[in-house]
Amino acid sequence: MSSFGQRLKAIRKGMQLTQADLAEKLMVSVQSISKWECDNSMPDISQILPLSAVLGVTTDFLLGGGSDEKTDRENLYRRIEEINKGIEKVYLRNDDAYYESYVLYKDHIKKYPLDYEIKLKLADSLIRCIYYRSDSKEEKDKFYQEAVTVLKSIIDCDNDATRLIDALQTLVILYLYNNDFVNAEETAKALPQKSCIRTSMEIEIYSKKNDHEKCIQLSESACLEAVHQYLWALAVRAKRLSLFDIKKKNEALTAWYTLINEAKSGYKTFHDIKIKTKWLYSAFNNLANDYISISEYDKAFEVIEELSDTLILDFKMCKDKGDHATAEEIKSNFRFYLNSCYNLQYENNDNTITNDPRFKKCVMKVDNID
């Protein structure tokens, strides 16, 4: 269990208060706050109530009194579920439910101020109150400031990576409500770029700014990244099926054809040659190898021929565009994929493929392109 000093420090930081800020509110010295947080001394009994009031927590929590957080959280969720019945349907929305949920979450946080999962739900309820309730501007401003403080406390103190991302994204949306583009953009920079997490928030920002051109640019970039992630997942699935055992070979063949068709479709939409160099060529190669492994040589030749024809067309397209580096990479790719066929045959003491005229013709066609 954490000490008094550890609890005090965590709550203070969560409220965005410095030791000097807290000392001023309690009319004590900064040194006193430092000693409390280092567990070198305890506040006087007369200071416990003012301290809990300033920090918005119960005296039980400050002093480490007994509690049953698990049971209290289960009871909280049951009450929230009762309040929210039907609220997910827009036409049945009850705006008072958002405020009732906010009050319940806040009461829980007073008792368990380090429960960051509930803090995130508290922030969400505050934002819903801001957007949907017909409160005065002054009241909405209070909700706004409280939500900012709650989200920053999660960002600054929580060690859960998923919650951190959720809190950052929610804070961006909150800033955009107030047209605070500076803080929205600064917060978005802290988000990871992987899986377009940051890009999605940047799209929200530029959408609010009505910068349609930038939104289109970012959305196209996000779409392309999503396509690569999708093709990667299809490739992983096909490869695992291929490595499973001979009983799964037909499933593997189908999976490679799925990847090939999706890669062709992705390239047709985005004209990104990386879709071919990263996914299509390797899919052809793996499909050919799987056919070889079950002695379906005619099928393997058909795949190798389609691969070589595709490589030649792509090579010429890149040369025509002046992209000589990619053109040479494409040519090298074919050699790499052919070598993997060689290796498979040598492992199986089989030279059926390399001695076949169709295979040699494919090699010559690719070797002679310039």
Side-chain angles (χ1 to χ4, degrees):
M1 185 175 180
S2 59
S3 67
F4 173 85
Q6 290 170 331
R7 291 192 295 277
L8 175 58
K9 184 177 181 180
I11 302 165
R12 173 183 62 75
K13 289 181 69 176
M15 293 187 66
Q16 310 293 303
L17 294 174
T18 65
Q19 287 185 339
D21 292 333
L22 184 56
E24 182 180 351
K25 290 177 181 292
L26 294 173
M27 292 182 290
V28 298
S29 67
V30 176
Q31 289 77 11
S32 294
I33 303 296
S34 179
K35 288 179 180 179
W36 297 347
E37 291 186 354
C38 292
D39 289 312
N40 290 330
S41 69
M42 286 284 289
D44 186 85
I45 191 67
S46 63
Q47 293 169 319
I48 295 297
L49 281 174
L51 185 57
S52 65
V54 168
L55 296 176
V57 299
T58 63
T59 55
D60 281 349
F61 179 83
L62 269 180
L63 298 174
S67 60
D68 188 348
E69 184 173 353
K70 181 181 177 182
T71 300
D72 286 347
R73 185 191 281 196
E74 289 173 353
N75 290 335
L76 170 65
Y77 281 144
R78 275 196 292 270
R79 295 176 69 186
I80 293 293
E81 187 178 354
E82 285 297 316
I83 291 172
N84 289 342
K85 279 185 177 177
I87 201 172
E88 70 280 359
K89 298 177 181 178
V90 175
Y91 59 87
L92 292 177
R93 194 181 73 214
N94 175 7
D95 296 345
D96 288 335
Y98 299 134
Y99 185 79
E100 292 173 29
S101 298
Y102 155 68
V103 171
L104 289 175
Y105 287 135
K106 189 167 184 177
D107 286 343
H108 179 87
I109 292 302
K110 284 181 181 179
K111 194 172 182 181
Y112 306 105
L114 305 184
D115 188 340
Y116 296 110
E117 179 182 320
I118 299 300
K119 274 196 170 183
L120 192 58
K121 294 182 181 297
L122 170 62
D124 181 69
S125 291
L126 281 163
I127 292 173
R128 291 174 185 275
C129 286
I130 293 169
Y131 271 92
Y132 300 121
R133 281 174 57 85
S134 56
D135 294 303
S136 66
K137 184 179 183 307
E138 182 180 6
E139 192 66 24
K140 285 180 181 284
D141 286 344
K142 288 180 182 178
F143 287 148
Y144 178 87
Q145 291 302 327
E146 184 176 354
V148 169
T149 300
V150 169
L151 289 168
K152 283 186 174 181
S153 76
I154 299 170
I155 293 165
D156 291 342
C157 304
D158 193 6
N159 293 321
D160 185 276
T162 301
R163 254 192 321 264
L164 173 61
I165 291 172
D166 287 343
L168 286 166
Q169 290 179 305
T170 306
L171 187 55
V172 171
I173 298 299
L174 186 61
Y175 282 139
L176 290 179
Y177 168 81
N178 226 25
N179 291 324
D180 185 349
F181 296 113
V182 173
N183 276 317
E185 290 173 2
E186 195 62 31
T187 303
K189 289 177 184 177
L191 285 163
Q193 187 58 273
K194 195 70 176 174
S195 302
C196 298
I197 293 173
R198 186 191 310 164
T199 301
S200 66
M201 287 296 99
E202 290 174 340
I203 290 172
E204 293 288 343
I205 292 169
Y206 285 105
S207 176
K208 184 76 172 180
K209 286 183 172 182
N210 289 319
D211 188 338
H212 305 306
E213 186 176 343
K214 188 67 175 178
C215 280
I216 293 170
Q217 178 187 337
L218 286 168
S219 61
E220 287 179 348
S221 173
C223 285
L224 188 55
E225 183 173 340
V227 167
H228 279 287
Q229 287 291 317
Y230 174 53
L231 295 177
W232 168 81
L234 288 176
V236 170
R237 175 176 175 270
K239 193 64 178 176
R240 293 303 100 187
L241 285 168
S242 178
L243 295 173
F244 195 86
D245 60 35
I246 199 67
K247 295 177 182 178
K248 291 282 186 180
K249 197 57 71 174
N250 284 333
E251 288 184 52
L253 295 172
T254 301
W256 289 124
Y257 278 118
T258 300
L259 175 57
I260 287 168
N261 291 332
E262 293 299 318
K264 287 179 178 178
S265 176
Y267 177 77
K268 184 177 180 181
T269 302
F270 295 101
H271 304 288
D272 179 14
I273 194 65
K274 288 182 179 178
I275 290 176
K276 291 189 173 183
T277 58
K278 287 187 71 173
W279 309 114
L280 183 61
Y281 303 157
S282 62
F284 276 130
N285 172 251
N286 281 286
L287 177 60
N289 279 336
D290 274 352
Y291 274 129
I292 292 170
S293 71
I294 57 175
S295 301
E296 289 276 357
Y297 296 117
D298 285 338
K299 290 289 187 181
F301 285 131
E302 289 175 11
V303 174
I304 293 170
E305 286 166 349
E306 186 174 358
L307 169 60
S308 60
D309 289 343
T310 303
L311 283 158
I312 291 168
L313 288 173
D314 292 341
F315 175 88
K316 291 179 178 178
M317 176 187 68
C318 289
K319 291 279 280 190
D320 290 344
K321 290 181 177 180
D323 188 355
H324 300 288
T326 304
E328 289 305 315
E329 180 189 348
I330 288 170
K331 192 172 181 179
S332 298
N333 278 337
F334 186 62
R335 275 294 179 192
F336 171 78
Y337 296 134
L338 285 180
N339 285 338
S340 71
C341 290
Y342 287 136
N343 293 336
L344 180 64
Q345 293 173 95
Y346 294 152
E347 287 174 8
N348 298 327
N349 298 316
D350 185 356
N351 60 359
T352 304
I353 295 291
T354 51
N355 286 339
D356 193 281
R358 287 172 291 180
F359 185 83
K360 293 178 178 179
K361 183 178 179 181
C362 289
V363 175
M364 288 180 60
K365 282 166 63 177
V366 174
D367 281 347
N368 290 332
I369 59 174
D370 53 34

